[in-house]
Amino acid sequence: MGASAGAGSGEFDIYRGCRNRERLRQEFIKKKAEKEEAQKEFEEKRLKSIAEAEKKTAKKRAKRLKAKEKLKSSAKKAQNDQADTQDTVSEEEIDLTEKIEGNTHIL
């Protein structure tokens, strides 16, 4: 079709149609760009939110594991202390029995 802006009155309808199509095309491109920008902002916000949640979860997970390990080690330590106490009591009993047996020979 070519340039129709300078044509006669019969060509005005063609010009107006071309102008409207171009206006609609420009609006479509503008709306598409706005949608893409909004989608990009949403994705960035979503990823940031996910990263923050993961960071918070990792921190809480580490705290739970630390508490669990502390509980396990304290239980293990209590068992060891109890076993050591029983061993010490047994050694003291053996020492006392040896002293008593030794004293009976003297009398």
Side-chain angles (χ1 to χ4, degrees), residues 77-92:
K77 186 176 180 183
Q79 280 182 338
N80 288 342
D81 288 346
Q82 188 179 16
D84 289 344
T85 305
Q86 288 176 354
D87 290 343
T88 307
V89 169
S90 299
E91 290 174 5
E92 288 176 1

Side-chain angles (χ1 to χ4, degrees), residues 3 5 14 23 26-27 30 35 39 43-45 48-49 52 54-55 66 73 94 101:
I14 296 171
R23 183 181 50 81
Q26 291 296 327
E27 287 176 8
K30 185 178 179 181
K35 275 185 177 180
Q39 183 66 28
E43 284 296 321
E44 288 175 357
K45 186 177 178 182
K48 183 179 177 183
S49 176
E52 288 176 4
E54 183 63 33
K55 184 178 177 182
K66 185 177 177 182
S73 67
I94 293 171
E101 289 175 358

Side-chain angles (χ1 to χ4, degrees), residues 1-9 11-16 18-19:
M1 287 214 173
S4 57
S9 62
E11 302 292 322
F12 181 73
D13 291 330
I14 296 171
Y15 164 72
R16 187 173 48 194
C18 289
R19 186 182 65 191

Side-chain angles (χ1 to χ4, degrees), residues 31-73:
K31 286 181 182 179
K32 185 178 177 183
E34 289 173 355
K35 275 185 177 180
E36 288 175 355
E37 183 65 28
Q39 183 66 28
K40 183 180 175 184
E41 288 176 7
F42 171 76
E43 284 296 321
E44 288 175 357
K45 186 177 178 182
R46 186 178 71 85
L47 291 175
K48 183 179 177 183
S49 176
I50 289 172
E52 288 176 4
E54 183 63 33
K55 184 178 177 182
K56 210 181 252 190
T57 303
K59 186 176 179 180
K60 288 183 179 183
R61 181 184 308 121
K63 190 174 180 180
R64 281 193 312 272
L65 290 175
K66 185 177 177 182
K68 189 175 181 179
E69 289 298 321
K70 186 176 180 181
L71 183 64
K72 282 183 179 180
S73 67

